Amino acid sequence: MLGMTACVKDTCKQKHTYTYFEAVYKTEEAVRANIKSNPARSVETPGKIYTLGKYIFLNEIDKGIHIIDNNNPSQPRNIFFIDVPGNLDIAVKGNTLYADLYTDLVAIDISNPASVKVEKIIDGIFPDRYYGNGFVRGANNDQIITDWVKKETTVTEDCDQQGGGWIGGRTDVFMSASNNMLGGAKASSPVGTGGSMARFTIMNDRLYTVNSSALDVFDISDANNPKRTNTVNIGWGIETIYPFRNKLFIGSQSGMFIYDATNADVPAASGQFSHATSCDPVIADDEYAYVTLRSGTACQGFSNQLDIVKLNNISNPVLQKTYTMKNPHGLSKDGDLLFICDGEAGLKIYNAANVMNLKLINEISDIDTYDVITMNKIALVVAKDGLYQYSYANLPNIRLLSKINVSK
């Protein structure tokens, strides 16, 4: 019996086929030289959005920024692409665009969209990016990941081996079981508008950025020459930042933090609202903060809801009412209209005149939504399959104006 068992163990082999993504590197010098107005490219993995004047700036996750001429919202034109590897966040003041290049902050002159140029790069501002989004330096520490190439391999393993994981412990190759795919993971110059999922925002001639645990402050009174003036430690799980009046509303996985930015370089903690562990974008008006909580792997929790928080005592925000949602992400408000991106459940528009009794006016249920910006009676909606623009001038008859499709 023992002999037979040993024989079976020695000969039990099984084959596993894996899909893996191998890093493509370029030198830091080559990457920085390519931060310019390159030809427009198809949208593949849309991320965060920012708008100023007639232009839309749409993040291509970890790749760069699409410049879209939106002079005619019914016929937007994708005109240029700025290659910024590792880019997730953007903000614009006047003719300067600020973007993250993995760990670095880049200031880009966009006065001529056909010929943008780098004005300044500050190294190592976002150190936590070393541990997220697949970023790792090349062997000589002078190379940066610019893309991931999908490959497949078949290996033979003993029956008791576990499949999946990282190839040979390498940190530049991501590998998963076959058929699994890597996830997508007020100043003198005009300031644009960002979505509620933003980690960059501009107020009082300052650029405020958040990472997983801290708030960084940059003086951008000289727009092309940002200077970091302060770092404020907040806590863990920080996700988003939203400006209103002289306040910064910061969303985290455990709650909402309110910072008073009257002293622009020294934001001071002035209030906090705690909630169950969950992803947490937030917006605000004069009376209330609107907080969406959602579940998911990165968010840990199981809550899917809208919390409306009363702000009459800013040092002690109080939960006013909770509404159940499907899987809410970004949100925006225009007067009494509240727009919520409810993930696969689509875009929902509420009359929020009475926060104790939100009334659903309309919903667009055939899109998987991520974030929304509303202005001039137009809703810009980033969805899994593209960038939508809707006119809501005549509610409840919301009308699709245009769509820039994601390339399949």
Side-chain angles (χ1 to χ4, degrees), residues 43-65:
V43 177
E44 295 179 358
T45 313
K48 296 173 187 179
I49 187 173
Y50 207 92
T51 181
L52 176 62
K54 71 173 186 176
Y55 294 108
I56 295 172
F57 302 92
L58 177 64
N59 160 242
E60 180 75 31
I61 293 176
D62 279 339
K63 300 290 183 64
I65 303 152

Side-chain angles (χ1 to χ4, degrees), residues 283-311:
I283 63 171
D285 58 26
D286 285 315
E287 295 185 76
Y288 301 98
Y290 303 82
V291 184
T292 59
L293 310 182
R294 73 181 185 277
S295 62
T297 302
C299 309
Q300 301 180 36
F302 300 95
S303 301
N304 286 286
Q305 64 197 53
L306 167 70
D307 283 350
I308 300 180
V309 181
K310 194 167 181 61
L311 301 174

Side-chain angles (χ1 to χ4, degrees), residues 259-407:
Y259 276 73
D260 188 324
T262 302
N263 183 340
D265 288 319
V266 189
S270 57
Q272 181 178 347
F273 167 72
S274 298
H275 57 63
T277 301
S278 195
C279 285
D280 174 16
V282 55
I283 63 171
D285 58 26
D286 285 315
E287 295 185 76
Y288 301 98
Y290 303 82
V291 184
T292 59
L293 310 182
R294 73 181 185 277
S295 62
T297 302
C299 309
Q300 301 180 36
F302 300 95
S303 301
N304 286 286
Q305 64 197 53
L306 167 70
D307 283 350
I308 300 180
V309 181
K310 194 167 181 61
L311 301 174
N312 59 327
N313 181 356
I314 203 73
S315 64
N316 186 30
V318 176
L319 178 64
Q320 196 75 7
K321 189 164 182 178
T322 294
Y323 292 88
T324 300
M325 295 283 160
K326 178 79 172 179
N327 192 233
H329 289 61
L331 65 169
S332 183
K333 198 163 183 284
D334 182 1
D336 289 334
L337 297 177
L338 177 63
F339 295 73
I340 298 179
C341 292
D342 201 9
E344 293 181 356
L347 178 68
K348 297 179 178 178
I349 304 103
Y350 295 89
N351 183 333
N354 179 3
V355 297
M356 300 301 293
N357 185 26
L358 294 187
K359 294 182 178 178
L360 184 64
I361 299 172
N362 206 334
E363 60 183 321
I364 301 168
S365 58
D366 57 348
I367 57 174
D368 189 343
T369 54
Y370 173 70
D371 204 2
V372 57
I373 294 176
T374 55
M375 57 175 52
N376 302 321
K377 302 300 179 184
I378 293 176
L380 301 174
V381 182
V382 179
K384 190 173 182 180
D385 64 340
L387 174 64
Y388 292 78
Q389 295 193 67
Y390 293 96
S391 169
Y392 58 92
N394 180 20
L395 284 172
N397 298 315
I398 190 168
R399 179 170 60 91
L400 177 66
L401 296 176
S402 62
K403 178 189 176 186
I404 295 178
N405 288 306
V406 162
S407 176

Side-chain angles (χ1 to χ4, degrees), residues 85-208:
N87 174 245
L88 294 177
D89 283 279
I90 46 182
V92 183
K93 175 194 173 187
N95 292 320
T96 306
L97 180 148
Y98 306 95
D100 56 338
L101 191 168
Y102 287 117
T103 60
D104 305 335
L105 176 67
V106 186
I108 304 171
D109 184 340
I110 56 170
S111 55
N112 178 6
S115 183
V116 307
K117 60 180 181 178
V118 174
E119 291 291 342
K120 185 174 183 178
I121 297 178
I122 306 178
D123 296 329
I125 289 295
F126 313 113
D128 60 327
R129 290 295 306 278
Y130 278 109
Y131 308 106
N133 305 292
F135 176 60
V136 62
R137 290 278 185 172
N140 297 323
N141 204 40
D142 65 345
Q143 294 180 312
I144 294 173
I145 295 173
T146 59
D147 205 352
W148 294 88
V149 176
K150 178 182 176 182
K151 295 185 177 182
E152 289 190 352
T153 186
T154 299
V155 296
T156 301
E157 300 175 329
D158 291 335
C159 293
D160 59 353
Q161 285 186 331
Q162 298 295 317
W166 297 86
I167 292 181
R170 292 180 62 185
T171 55
D172 61 342
V173 178
F174 180 84
M175 175 174 170
S176 62
S178 182
N179 298 323
N180 287 337
M181 295 296 294
L182 186 66
K186 298 17 183 204
S188 55
S189 297
V191 172
T193 302
S196 63
M197 306 295 284
R199 295 169 71 94
F200 284 15
T201 196
I202 294 174
M203 184 172 67
N204 301 327
D205 268 342
R206 298 297 185 272
L207 169 68
Y208 297 98

